[in-house]
PDB file of all heavy atoms in Angstrom:
ATOM      1  N   ASN V  73     -20.421   9.344  53.697  1.00  0.00           N
ATOM      2  CA  ASN V  73     -19.885   8.732  54.932  1.00  0.00           C
ATOM      3  C   ASN V  73     -18.360   8.846  54.962  1.00  0.00           C
ATOM      4  O   ASN V  73     -17.730   9.055  56.016  1.00  0.00           O
ATOM      5  CB  ASN V  73     -20.341   7.256  55.011  1.00  0.00           C
ATOM      6  CG  ASN V  73     -21.844   7.129  55.274  1.00  0.00           C
ATOM      7  OD1 ASN V  73     -22.399   7.934  55.987  1.00  0.00           O
ATOM      8  ND2 ASN V  73     -22.464   6.086  54.685  1.00  0.00           N
ATOM      9  N   PHE V  74     -17.737   8.660  53.833  1.00  0.00           N
ATOM     10  CA  PHE V  74     -16.276   8.787  53.809  1.00  0.00           C
ATOM     11  C   PHE V  74     -15.837  10.271  53.908  1.00  0.00           C
ATOM     12  O   PHE V  74     -14.727  10.542  54.404  1.00  0.00           O
ATOM     13  CB  PHE V  74     -15.755   8.232  52.429  1.00  0.00           C
ATOM     14  CG  PHE V  74     -14.253   8.356  52.318  1.00  0.00           C
ATOM     15  CD1 PHE V  74     -13.361   7.463  52.994  1.00  0.00           C
ATOM     16  CD2 PHE V  74     -13.604   9.304  51.517  1.00  0.00           C
ATOM     17  CE1 PHE V  74     -12.035   7.529  52.884  1.00  0.00           C
ATOM     18  CE2 PHE V  74     -12.282   9.358  51.360  1.00  0.00           C
ATOM     19  CZ  PHE V  74     -11.494   8.530  52.072  1.00  0.00           C
ATOM     20  N   GLN V  75     -16.723  11.196  53.527  1.00  0.00           N
ATOM     21  CA  GLN V  75     -16.375  12.572  53.478  1.00  0.00           C
ATOM     22  C   GLN V  75     -17.387  13.331  54.357  1.00  0.00           C
ATOM     23  O   GLN V  75     -18.286  14.042  53.872  1.00  0.00           O
ATOM     24  CB  GLN V  75     -16.338  13.173  52.103  1.00  0.00           C
ATOM     25  CG  GLN V  75     -15.433  14.314  51.896  1.00  0.00           C
ATOM     26  CD  GLN V  75     -13.971  13.938  52.141  1.00  0.00           C
ATOM     27  OE1 GLN V  75     -13.491  13.864  53.234  1.00  0.00           O
ATOM     28  NE2 GLN V  75     -13.190  13.670  51.085  1.00  0.00           N
ATOM     29  N   PRO V  76     -17.487  13.057  55.703  1.00  0.00           N
ATOM     30  CA  PRO V  76     -18.501  13.684  56.535  1.00  0.00           C
ATOM     31  C   PRO V  76     -18.483  15.156  56.703  1.00  0.00           C
ATOM     32  O   PRO V  76     -19.416  15.707  57.141  1.00  0.00           O
ATOM     33  CB  PRO V  76     -18.261  12.933  57.902  1.00  0.00           C
ATOM     34  CG  PRO V  76     -16.790  12.647  57.868  1.00  0.00           C
ATOM     35  CD  PRO V  76     -16.502  12.243  56.450  1.00  0.00           C
ATOM     36  N   GLY V  77     -17.347  15.750  56.261  1.00  0.00           N
ATOM     37  CA  GLY V  77     -17.305  17.179  56.341  1.00  0.00           C
ATOM     38  C   GLY V  77     -18.110  17.951  55.285  1.00  0.00           C
ATOM     39  O   GLY V  77     -18.361  19.112  55.426  1.00  0.00           O
ATOM     40  N   VAL V  78     -18.545  17.179  54.278  1.00  0.00           N
ATOM     41  CA  VAL V  78     -19.444  17.800  53.222  1.00  0.00           C
ATOM     42  C   VAL V  78     -20.788  18.007  53.804  1.00  0.00           C
ATOM     43  O   VAL V  78     -21.380  17.079  54.386  1.00  0.00           O
ATOM     44  CB  VAL V  78     -19.482  16.851  52.010  1.00  0.00           C
ATOM     45  CG1 VAL V  78     -20.461  17.446  51.022  1.00  0.00           C
ATOM     46  CG2 VAL V  78     -18.077  16.729  51.486  1.00  0.00           C
ATOM     47  N   ASP V  79     -21.354  19.135  53.572  1.00  0.00           N
ATOM     48  CA  ASP V  79     -22.708  19.490  54.038  1.00  0.00           C
ATOM     49  C   ASP V  79     -23.718  18.786  53.102  1.00  0.00           C
ATOM     50  O   ASP V  79     -24.054  19.398  52.079  1.00  0.00           O
ATOM     51  CB  ASP V  79     -22.932  20.968  54.054  1.00  0.00           C
ATOM     52  CG  ASP V  79     -24.202  21.429  54.694  1.00  0.00           C
ATOM     53  OD1 ASP V  79     -25.204  20.555  54.823  1.00  0.00           O
ATOM     54  OD2 ASP V  79     -24.370  22.547  55.066  1.00  0.00           O
ATOM     55  N   GLU V  80     -24.120  17.609  53.433  1.00  0.00           N
ATOM     56  CA  GLU V  80     -25.033  16.826  52.523  1.00  0.00           C
ATOM     57  C   GLU V  80     -26.315  17.526  52.389  1.00  0.00           C
ATOM     58  O   GLU V  80     -26.891  17.494  51.305  1.00  0.00           O
ATOM     59  CB  GLU V  80     -25.247  15.424  53.144  1.00  0.00           C
ATOM     60  CG  GLU V  80     -26.039  14.471  52.197  1.00  0.00           C
ATOM     61  CD  GLU V  80     -26.141  13.113  52.742  1.00  0.00           C
ATOM     62  OE1 GLU V  80     -25.620  12.823  53.793  1.00  0.00           O
ATOM     63  OE2 GLU V  80     -26.832  12.295  52.109  1.00  0.00           O
ATOM     64  N   LYS V  81     -26.822  18.183  53.432  1.00  0.00           N
ATOM     65  CA  LYS V  81     -28.114  18.908  53.277  1.00  0.00           C
ATOM     66  C   LYS V  81     -28.136  20.017  52.304  1.00  0.00           C
ATOM     67  O   LYS V  81     -28.950  20.201  51.410  1.00  0.00           O
ATOM     68  CB  LYS V  81     -28.538  19.465  54.665  1.00  0.00           C
ATOM     69  CG  LYS V  81     -29.867  20.217  54.582  1.00  0.00           C
ATOM     70  CD  LYS V  81     -30.210  20.732  56.024  1.00  0.00           C
ATOM     71  CE  LYS V  81     -31.458  21.401  56.035  1.00  0.00           C
ATOM     72  NZ  LYS V  81     -31.883  21.981  57.355  1.00  0.00           N
ATOM     73  N   LEU V  82     -26.917  20.742  52.255  1.00  0.00           N
ATOM     74  CA  LEU V  82     -26.729  21.786  51.323  1.00  0.00           C
ATOM     75  C   LEU V  82     -26.566  21.276  49.891  1.00  0.00           C
ATOM     76  O   LEU V  82     -27.132  21.818  48.921  1.00  0.00           O
ATOM     77  CB  LEU V  82     -25.459  22.562  51.666  1.00  0.00           C
ATOM     78  CG  LEU V  82     -25.083  23.772  50.707  1.00  0.00           C
ATOM     79  CD1 LEU V  82     -26.229  24.675  50.405  1.00  0.00           C
ATOM     80  CD2 LEU V  82     -23.834  24.457  51.166  1.00  0.00           C
ATOM     81  N   VAL V  83     -25.879  20.149  49.752  1.00  0.00           N
ATOM     82  CA  VAL V  83     -25.695  19.544  48.360  1.00  0.00           C
ATOM     83  C   VAL V  83     -27.144  19.123  47.861  1.00  0.00           C
ATOM     84  O   VAL V  83     -27.351  19.328  46.665  1.00  0.00           O
ATOM     85  CB  VAL V  83     -24.739  18.267  48.466  1.00  0.00           C
ATOM     86  CG1 VAL V  83     -24.765  17.513  47.186  1.00  0.00           C
ATOM     87  CG2 VAL V  83     -23.324  18.702  48.857  1.00  0.00           C
ATOM     88  N   LYS V  84     -27.897  18.510  48.703  1.00  0.00           N
ATOM     89  CA  LYS V  84     -29.215  18.136  48.231  1.00  0.00           C
ATOM     90  C   LYS V  84     -30.113  19.345  47.890  1.00  0.00           C
ATOM     91  O   LYS V  84     -30.930  19.306  46.984  1.00  0.00           O
ATOM     92  CB  LYS V  84     -29.972  17.345  49.357  1.00  0.00           C
ATOM     93  CG  LYS V  84     -29.354  15.913  49.498  1.00  0.00           C
ATOM     94  CD  LYS V  84     -30.074  15.144  50.573  1.00  0.00           C
ATOM     95  CE  LYS V  84     -29.491  13.694  50.728  1.00  0.00           C
ATOM     96  NZ  LYS V  84     -30.159  12.898  51.751  1.00  0.00           N
ATOM     97  N   GLU V  85     -29.962  20.453  48.607  1.00  0.00           N
ATOM     98  CA  GLU V  85     -30.664  21.672  48.300  1.00  0.00           C
ATOM     99  C   GLU V  85     -30.145  22.220  46.929  1.00  0.00           C
ATOM    100  O   GLU V  85     -30.936  22.547  46.059  1.00  0.00           O
ATOM    101  CB  GLU V  85     -30.369  22.777  49.397  1.00  0.00           C
ATOM    102  CG  GLU V  85     -30.823  24.149  49.028  1.00  0.00           C
ATOM    103  CD  GLU V  85     -32.264  24.258  48.751  1.00  0.00           C
ATOM    104  OE1 GLU V  85     -33.101  23.479  49.293  1.00  0.00           O
ATOM    105  OE2 GLU V  85     -32.705  25.135  48.010  1.00  0.00           O
ATOM    106  N   LEU V  86     -28.870  22.213  46.692  1.00  0.00           N
ATOM    107  CA  LEU V  86     -28.341  22.618  45.436  1.00  0.00           C
ATOM    108  C   LEU V  86     -28.877  21.694  44.260  1.00  0.00           C
ATOM    109  O   LEU V  86     -29.063  22.191  43.133  1.00  0.00           O
ATOM    110  CB  LEU V  86     -26.784  22.561  45.394  1.00  0.00           C
ATOM    111  CG  LEU V  86     -26.158  23.591  46.343  1.00  0.00           C
ATOM    112  CD1 LEU V  86     -24.553  23.345  46.347  1.00  0.00           C
ATOM    113  CD2 LEU V  86     -26.419  25.037  45.867  1.00  0.00           C
ATOM    114  N   ALA V  87     -29.054  20.441  44.531  1.00  0.00           N
ATOM    115  CA  ALA V  87     -29.515  19.474  43.555  1.00  0.00           C
ATOM    116  C   ALA V  87     -30.907  19.751  43.079  1.00  0.00           C
ATOM    117  O   ALA V  87     -31.317  19.222  41.996  1.00  0.00           O
ATOM    118  CB  ALA V  87     -29.427  18.048  44.149  1.00  0.00           C
ATOM    119  N   THR V  88     -31.670  20.574  43.906  1.00  0.00           N
ATOM    120  CA  THR V  88     -33.022  20.952  43.395  1.00  0.00           C
ATOM    121  C   THR V  88     -32.926  21.980  42.171  1.00  0.00           C
ATOM    122  O   THR V  88     -33.890  22.218  41.578  1.00  0.00           O
ATOM    123  CB  THR V  88     -33.850  21.610  44.492  1.00  0.00           C
ATOM    124  OG1 THR V  88     -33.195  22.834  44.896  1.00  0.00           O
ATOM    125  CG2 THR V  88     -33.939  20.618  45.695  1.00  0.00           C
ATOM    126  N   MET V  89     -31.713  22.556  42.018  1.00  0.00           N
ATOM    127  CA  MET V  89     -31.423  23.586  40.993  1.00  0.00           C
ATOM    128  C   MET V  89     -32.151  24.872  41.228  1.00  0.00           C
ATOM    129  O   MET V  89     -32.185  25.738  40.301  1.00  0.00           O
ATOM    130  CB  MET V  89     -31.875  23.005  39.546  1.00  0.00           C
ATOM    131  CG  MET V  89     -30.996  21.851  39.204  1.00  0.00           C
ATOM    132  SD  MET V  89     -29.284  22.276  38.998  1.00  0.00           S
ATOM    133  CE  MET V  89     -28.501  21.132  40.187  1.00  0.00           C
ATOM    134  N   ALA V  90     -32.639  25.097  42.451  1.00  0.00           N
ATOM    135  CA  ALA V  90     -33.276  26.386  42.748  1.00  0.00           C
ATOM    136  C   ALA V  90     -32.210  27.472  42.664  1.00  0.00           C
ATOM    137  O   ALA V  90     -32.572  28.612  42.185  1.00  0.00           O
ATOM    138  CB  ALA V  90     -33.901  26.325  44.064  1.00  0.00           C
ATOM    139  N   PHE V  91     -30.974  27.118  42.968  1.00  0.00           N
ATOM    140  CA  PHE V  91     -29.987  28.187  42.952  1.00  0.00           C
ATOM    141  C   PHE V  91     -29.616  28.629  41.518  1.00  0.00           C
ATOM    142  O   PHE V  91     -29.274  29.807  41.240  1.00  0.00           O
ATOM    143  CB  PHE V  91     -28.629  27.639  43.632  1.00  0.00           C
ATOM    144  CG  PHE V  91     -27.779  26.834  42.776  1.00  0.00           C
ATOM    145  CD1 PHE V  91     -26.593  27.230  42.267  1.00  0.00           C
ATOM    146  CD2 PHE V  91     -28.089  25.465  42.529  1.00  0.00           C
ATOM    147  CE1 PHE V  91     -25.752  26.583  41.439  1.00  0.00           C
ATOM    148  CE2 PHE V  91     -27.251  24.683  41.817  1.00  0.00           C
ATOM    149  CZ  PHE V  91     -26.135  25.233  41.243  1.00  0.00           C
ATOM    150  N   VAL V  92     -29.842  27.703  40.487  1.00  0.00           N
ATOM    151  CA  VAL V  92     -29.577  27.996  39.126  1.00  0.00           C
ATOM    152  C   VAL V  92     -30.750  28.979  38.684  1.00  0.00           C
ATOM    153  O   VAL V  92     -30.450  29.935  37.959  1.00  0.00           O
ATOM    154  CB  VAL V  92     -29.537  26.802  38.205  1.00  0.00           C
ATOM    155  CG1 VAL V  92     -29.514  27.115  36.775  1.00  0.00           C
ATOM    156  CG2 VAL V  92     -28.362  25.919  38.632  1.00  0.00           C
ATOM    157  N   HIS V  93     -31.883  28.704  39.038  1.00  0.00           N
ATOM    158  CA  HIS V  93     -33.051  29.559  38.580  1.00  0.00           C
ATOM    159  C   HIS V  93     -32.906  30.970  39.296  1.00  0.00           C
ATOM    160  O   HIS V  93     -33.508  31.944  38.734  1.00  0.00           O
ATOM    161  CB  HIS V  93     -34.369  28.870  39.014  1.00  0.00           C
ATOM    162  CG  HIS V  93     -34.594  27.604  38.363  1.00  0.00           C
ATOM    163  ND1 HIS V  93     -34.727  27.533  36.972  1.00  0.00           N
ATOM    164  CD2 HIS V  93     -34.796  26.338  38.769  1.00  0.00           C
ATOM    165  CE1 HIS V  93     -34.982  26.246  36.587  1.00  0.00           C
ATOM    166  NE2 HIS V  93     -34.981  25.555  37.726  1.00  0.00           N
ATOM    167  N   ARG V  94     -32.154  31.051  40.381  1.00  0.00           N
ATOM    168  CA  ARG V  94     -31.979  32.429  41.016  1.00  0.00           C
ATOM    169  C   ARG V  94     -30.646  32.968  40.572  1.00  0.00           C
ATOM    170  O   ARG V  94     -30.297  34.048  41.112  1.00  0.00           O
ATOM    171  CB  ARG V  94     -31.907  32.231  42.498  1.00  0.00           C
ATOM    172  CG  ARG V  94     -33.345  31.735  43.085  1.00  0.00           C
ATOM    173  CD  ARG V  94     -33.376  31.932  44.647  1.00  0.00           C
ATOM    174  NE  ARG V  94     -32.340  31.078  45.288  1.00  0.00           N
ATOM    175  CZ  ARG V  94     -32.599  29.939  45.873  1.00  0.00           C
ATOM    176  NH1 ARG V  94     -33.893  29.442  45.781  1.00  0.00           N
ATOM    177  NH2 ARG V  94     -31.690  29.162  46.330  1.00  0.00           N
ATOM    178  N   ALA V  95     -29.870  32.345  39.577  1.00  0.00           N
ATOM    179  CA  ALA V  95     -28.613  32.854  39.094  1.00  0.00           C
ATOM    180  C   ALA V  95     -27.619  32.967  40.235  1.00  0.00           C
ATOM    181  O   ALA V  95     -26.904  33.919  40.252  1.00  0.00           O
ATOM    182  CB  ALA V  95     -28.849  34.133  38.344  1.00  0.00           C
ATOM    183  N   GLU V  96     -27.637  32.015  41.154  1.00  0.00           N
ATOM    184  CA  GLU V  96     -26.703  32.045  42.200  1.00  0.00           C
ATOM    185  C   GLU V  96     -25.500  31.101  41.848  1.00  0.00           C
ATOM    186  O   GLU V  96     -25.578  30.314  40.904  1.00  0.00           O
ATOM    187  CB  GLU V  96     -27.365  31.528  43.551  1.00  0.00           C
ATOM    188  CG  GLU V  96     -28.437  32.521  44.006  1.00  0.00           C
ATOM    189  CD  GLU V  96     -29.245  31.985  45.126  1.00  0.00           C
ATOM    190  OE1 GLU V  96     -29.073  30.862  45.485  1.00  0.00           O
ATOM    191  OE2 GLU V  96     -30.087  32.773  45.673  1.00  0.00           O
ATOM    192  N   ASN V  97     -24.466  31.138  42.698  1.00  0.00           N
ATOM    193  CA  ASN V  97     -23.256  30.324  42.452  1.00  0.00           C
ATOM    194  C   ASN V  97     -23.050  29.275  43.566  1.00  0.00           C
ATOM    195  O   ASN V  97     -23.601  29.405  44.672  1.00  0.00           O
ATOM    196  CB  ASN V  97     -22.050  31.163  42.352  1.00  0.00           C
ATOM    197  CG  ASN V  97     -22.196  32.274  41.287  1.00  0.00           C
ATOM    198  OD1 ASN V  97     -22.676  32.001  40.196  1.00  0.00           O
ATOM    199  ND2 ASN V  97     -21.729  33.463  41.561  1.00  0.00           N
TER     200      ASN V  97
END
Side-chain angles (χ1 to χ4, degrees):
N73 291 324
F74 179 76
Q75 211 62 280
V78 175
D79 188 340
E80 185 175 359
K81 182 178 179 181
L82 176 54
V83 171
K84 289 182 177 179
E85 168 61 26
L86 293 173
T88 67
M89 294 298 121
F91 83 103
V92 174
H93 296 299
R94 296 192 296 261
E96 297 171 351
N97 303 320

